[in-house]
Amino acid sequence: MLKKTKRILYLYILAVLVAALASCGGVGAAPINGDPLAAVAVSVTPPSVAMRTSAVQTFTATVTNSNMTTVNWLVNGISGGNSTFGTVDKKGNYTAPTFVPIPATVTVTAVANADETKSASATVSISGSSVPGSTTIAPKTASVVIGDTALFTATVAGSNKAVTWEVNGQEEGNSAVGTITPIAGSNDQATYTAPLLVPDSGQVTVTATSVAHPEQSASAVVTVTPPPKGGAVVKITDPLTPPTVQAGQTQAFQATVKGVSNTAVSWQVDGIPGGNASVGTIASGADDTATFTAPRLLPSPPTVTVVAVSKAQPSAQASLVVNLIPVQAVTVTVSPDPCANPSAVPINSSVQFTAVVTGNKNQDVTWQVNGATGGNSQIGTISGAGVYTAPADVPNPAGVTVSAYSDAVPAVSGKQNITISQNPVLQVQLAPVPSKPPAPYPDIPVGDGQEFQATVLGATDVSQAEVNWLINGYPDGDGGIYGTIDSPPLTSGCTTTGQYSAPLSIPSPSTFPVTAQSAYQTTASQSINITIIAAPQVTVNVDPSSADVPQTTQQVFNAQIQGTSDPNAYWSLSSSQCTGAACGTLNPTGPSPSTTYTAPAQGTPSVTLTAKSEADPSALGTANITVTCGGPPSISIYPSSATIQAGSASPLSFAPIISPCGNQSVNVSWQLGCISLYNGDPGEDCYDSNPVGGGPGCTQINNGFKVCGDRANDGSGVYSLDYFAPHSLYTNDFAANVCEPTNNGSGDGLVPLTATVQLQGCPQQGCQATACITVTPP
């Protein structure tokens, strides 16, 4: 009875307080002549635009229903924008970024200074230069039956298109998640083969990473499924890549069928069984193979679809797009072994010739010597594999012609003229690697180096391919005055590399020859003049040199390094206002030509970003970073967990951390949840009706009224909240809550403390965070 009386008294007092507060009333905006003021409105023109990278577009903002017509311009929510998404000045002049952002559409927004809740936006679609190394993958999703394959194509911006492939972070995958195999001869395509068992999650991630820029990658999600029970699964197994077929030419296909006993298929072209003259024809062969013959007149667009249809279950089909191209001119190119000297082929020696046929898939050729198929003993013979054997005596004339005639188009041939000699005649070819313009006279800074490649043509074995290196005529560069060359022993082939190291000071003369001389035939040699120049000064600039980065958002910085061919830098952060992660983070820290800075979630420090040249650590550049209020709306509680003894006279203190940081003063609604251990009386886990114990405890904000039980306590986010433990902790019954969903048997009671804020961008219930309080027995 006493408990019931106290509850009624409490509810009465609460009703009186609510009524008193209501009597204070809020004051609304006064109408003029009985009509409310018209709301401020903003419009932006043009509302949408397509631009190239680095281009400039002027936007105009119009503010109505206010004498204050100025606006604040933002790009993707960032005041003034940044180098990643583009910048906008106070006059609305938007400058697109140097590289296409991801996504390629950004939003330019004008916010009315008269009423910051009123704004208007324009969308900007950006095309042009992509970030070097930026990578995309196609398709982004795929579904594969266990054991089957899927083709992926990676697209990389820049000159180096090569990528590495991973499955679930494993290079080239494994038997558990499937394997990824690069397509032979391609640097941007790979075939994923699903495992024989469905992975635990049912999905795997295929990732392509740029070789030139390992920080750039793209991923696709592959769903691996078991074969359907009782159903047919059709797959065109050959070729793996979409084929290209010339008009009138053929292409072979093969299909496999799983899930049914009858594995036969029928073939269609663009849905037409067997095809026709307009789209091309397809003829079935043994073992579910087929031969497609492209039409002589190409359709528009020049693509057709080849379809394999299960005869047991016609609804089960597989298809493949075929690209059609006009008839290509057939050419034959004949090349000798790269170590042969065509101008002096010794008697009784052999030379391997290679023929490449373009414009026709049939690479077969017929070999002739001086017009005679296979040649003869007087002029030399040639095998069907292109191996030419010189005669026992020098013919008259000594010059002969090796020809290859296309078997597909016999009227087309390629040829190579050679000269038969009594003895080997060596020829040395020398070139810098890579060739530096203006070749072949590279300028080499003091202390720097240059690789050279020497090829000895006509060498019949490794002993004849050895070279001696001379620098200005000296084997040792005159004691190193003109530099030195380090060359590994030649173990095979006819090409030798030499790594030249320039002296530390400019010699006199500064221009002199580097020579590769045949060790077997010293009269055969070749030289390249080089010039030793002063070492360029290494300089580092960071782009952008300054940036405002909102909390939790990212900004890419690039090192622009001059005076060295090494573009990489080591990256670091420093500040007098923070340390460690409180200053933000970098990925990577080096060596890399660029890094991505991520601003911290709390605080607005000023930070210095430093890039040190990998080639010359004494050369460095800096950028100034100012962390600003921004990022997605959120709230967190510090600390996120704490322990207090029941009956403690000292409270725990909890602080709200609100993002964006400019919203710290907004109202925070605090609420205790029900305690997990209590005395078993109904409601006693949620509300402390007994002044000597039980319930979840009480809260207090800024020395205001204590609010006990699971009731809200509101206050400004600038104030911390004090939590007071219940007087006693009962362990009679357990009640599950988010902090203790199942009884952990510790004998402690856990109390959830939830903080809620209402900010633009939060879900309907607001942005929330929960801390867990452990109440221990007294």
Side-chain angles (χ1 to χ4, degrees):
M1 183 65 183
L2 179 59
K3 282 186 179 181
K4 182 176 182 182
T5 302
K6 286 184 176 181
R7 284 185 187 274
I8 294 172
L9 179 59
Y10 164 75
L11 294 173
Y12 173 77
I13 294 171
L14 180 61
V16 171
L17 287 172
V18 171
L21 289 171
S23 67
C24 294
V27 179
I32 298 175
N33 298 326
D35 296 325
L37 290 171
V40 173
V42 185
S43 62
V44 171
T45 56
S48 63
V49 68
M51 299 177 60
R52 298 285 294 178
T53 49
S54 302
V56 178
Q57 170 69 46
T58 299
F59 290 95
T60 302
T62 303
V63 179
T64 56
N65 301 324
S66 174
N67 291 330
M68 183 182 294
T69 60
T70 57
V71 297
N72 181 32
W73 290 95
L74 302 88
V75 182
N76 279 10
I78 302 170
S79 180
N82 59 25
S83 61
T84 300
F85 303 116
T87 59
V88 63
D89 62 19
K90 295 180 179 179
K91 295 182 180 180
N93 297 313
Y94 169 76
T95 302
T98 305
F99 302 111
V100 176
I102 300 176
T105 300
V106 301
T107 302
V108 176
T109 303
V111 179
N113 289 328
D115 184 350
E116 293 184 353
T117 64
K118 301 298 187 295
S119 64
S121 299
T123 58
V124 181
S125 299
I126 301 173
S127 60
S129 301
S130 298
V131 176
S134 59
T135 305
T136 58
I137 191 171
K140 292 184 177 296
T141 60
S143 182
V144 181
V145 175
I146 57 173
D148 276 352
T149 61
L151 176 69
F152 289 93
T153 301
T155 303
V156 181
S159 58
N160 190 342
K161 306 293 184 181
V163 295
T164 58
W165 295 92
E166 295 178 345
V167 182
N168 280 12
Q170 298 289 320
E171 186 172 355
E172 297 192 0
N174 55 40
S175 60
V177 297
T179 58
I180 189 83
T181 305
I183 298 295
S186 170
N187 59 6
D188 60 357
Q189 286 190 314
T191 301
Y192 168 77
T193 302
L196 299 180
L197 296 175
V198 176
D200 292 340
S201 65
Q203 291 183 330
V204 297
T205 301
V206 172
T207 302
T209 301
S210 166
V211 171
H213 298 269
E215 73 279 4
Q216 302 284 356
S217 63
S219 297
V221 175
V222 182
T223 301
V224 182
T225 61
K229 294 182 179 179
V233 177
V234 182
K235 186 175 186 297
I236 297 177
T237 59
D238 189 26
L240 290 174
T241 56
T244 298
V245 185
Q246 291 185 38
Q249 298 297 310
T250 60
Q251 171 68 52
F253 292 97
Q254 184 169 23
T256 59
V257 180
K258 298 179 181 179
V260 291
S261 58
N262 182 359
T263 61
V265 298
S266 61
W267 294 88
Q268 302 176 355
V269 183
D270 279 359
I272 303 170
N276 59 28
S278 298
V279 297
T281 59
I282 192 162
S284 299
D287 299 325
D288 290 333
T289 60
T291 300
F292 168 75
T293 302
R296 294 194 175 276
L297 296 177
L298 301 186
S300 180
T303 59
V304 295
T305 301
V306 169
V307 184
V309 182
S310 168
K311 290 186 176 180
Q313 186 180 331
S315 61
Q317 303 178 355
S319 61
L320 187 66
V321 173
V322 179
N323 299 313
L324 304 178
I325 61 174
V327 174
Q328 305 294 298
V330 178
T331 62
V332 179
T333 303
V334 175
S335 303
D337 181 289
C339 290
N341 182 3
S343 62
V345 176
I347 57 174
N348 294 318
S349 67
S350 296
V351 177
Q352 174 70 63
F353 285 86
T354 303
V356 176
V357 181
T358 61
N360 195 288
K361 289 186 295 183
N362 187 347
Q363 294 290 304
D364 294 338
V365 296
T366 298
W367 292 96
Q368 296 183 353
V369 182
N370 282 4
T373 299
N376 56 46
S377 60
Q378 284 75 39
I379 54 177
T381 60
I382 191 164
S383 70
V387 177
Y388 171 79
T389 302
D393 298 305
V394 175
N396 187 16
V400 299
T401 301
V402 174
S403 303
Y405 285 80
S406 167
D407 286 357
V409 187
V412 178
S413 65
K415 65 180 180 179
Q416 173 71 53
N417 294 323
I418 62 175
T419 300
I420 310 302
S421 63
Q422 189 71 33
N423 299 302
V425 177
L426 304 186
Q427 179 183 349
V428 179
Q429 295 179 341
L430 181 64
V433 182
S435 182
K436 292 184 177 181
Y441 306 110
D443 292 339
I444 304 175
V446 293
D448 206 346
Q450 171 66 53
E451 185 179 14
F452 290 92
Q453 179 175 287
T455 301
V456 179
L457 301 182
T460 57
D461 56 44
V462 172
S463 65
Q464 295 181 4
E466 293 286 350
V467 298
N468 300 321
W469 293 96
L470 304 175
I471 308 172
N472 202 20
Y474 299 94
D476 61 352
D478 196 11
I481 293 176
Y482 298 99
T484 58
I485 282 188
D486 181 28
S487 181
L490 184 62
T491 58
S492 62
C494 58
T495 298
T496 303
T497 59
Q499 183 60 50
Y500 171 77
S501 297
L504 298 179
S505 59
I506 298 176
S508 180
S510 60
T511 299
F512 49 85
V514 170
T515 303
Q517 179 191 67
S518 168
Y520 181 81
Q521 193 177 90
T522 56
T523 55
S525 66
Q526 187 173 17
S527 300
I528 290 179
N529 283 341
I530 63 173
T531 301
I532 307 302
I533 61 175
Q537 183 179 0
V538 178
T539 60
V540 181
N541 291 302
V542 179
D543 179 41
S545 59
S546 63
D548 292 340
V549 185
Q551 292 170 327
T552 72
T553 62
Q554 294 183 330
Q555 171 70 50
V556 176
F557 291 89
N558 299 291
Q560 298 176 339
I561 302 178
Q562 303 293 329
T564 176
S565 59
D566 185 350
N568 294 321
Y570 288 92
W571 301 86
S572 61
L573 295 172
S574 60
S575 176
S576 61
Q577 301 175 9
C578 58
T579 58
C583 295
T585 58
L586 296 174
N587 184 29
T589 55
S592 174
S594 63
T595 189
T596 299
Y597 170 77
T598 302
Q602 288 87 38
T604 54
S606 293
V607 182
T608 299
L609 170 67
T610 300
K612 289 186 178 180
S613 167
E614 179 183 41
D616 182 2
S618 66
L620 56 86
T622 60
N624 296 319
I625 301 173
T626 300
V627 179
T628 61
C629 296
S634 66
I635 184 171
S636 59
I637 301 174
Y638 181 81
S640 60
S641 62
T643 301
I644 190 171
Q645 190 179 57
S648 173
S650 300
L652 294 172
S653 182
F654 294 89
I657 301 172
I658 303 169
S659 293
C661 53
N663 294 296
Q664 192 65 39
S665 62
V666 300
N667 180 74
V668 180
S669 181
W670 299 86
Q671 185 157 0
L672 293 174
C674 305
I675 195 168
S676 62
L677 293 178
Y678 71 112
N679 61 9
D681 290 344
E684 285 301 296
D685 59 329
C686 300
Y687 177 66
D688 183 7
S689 63
N690 186 342
V692 296
C698 306
T699 61
Q700 184 180 42
I701 300 174
N702 195 28
N703 296 321
F705 291 108
K706 285 185 180 179
V707 176
C708 299
D710 61 340
R711 293 185 291 115
N713 194 359
D714 291 359
S716 170
V718 300
Y719 299 121
S720 297
L721 174 134
D722 291 330
Y723 168 78
F724 294 86
H727 291 282
S728 302
L729 176 65
Y730 297 97
T731 58
N732 304 44
D733 279 350
F734 170 77
N737 60 33
V738 296
C739 292
E740 192 177 2
T742 58
N743 194 340
N744 61 22
S746 66
D748 301 331
L750 271 75
V751 179
L753 172 63
T754 300
T756 304
V757 293
Q758 297 290 343
L759 297 171
Q760 185 177 1
C762 287
Q764 186 174 5
Q765 72 272 20
C767 292
Q768 294 183 332
T770 298
C772 291
I773 304 171
T774 300
V775 181
T776 62

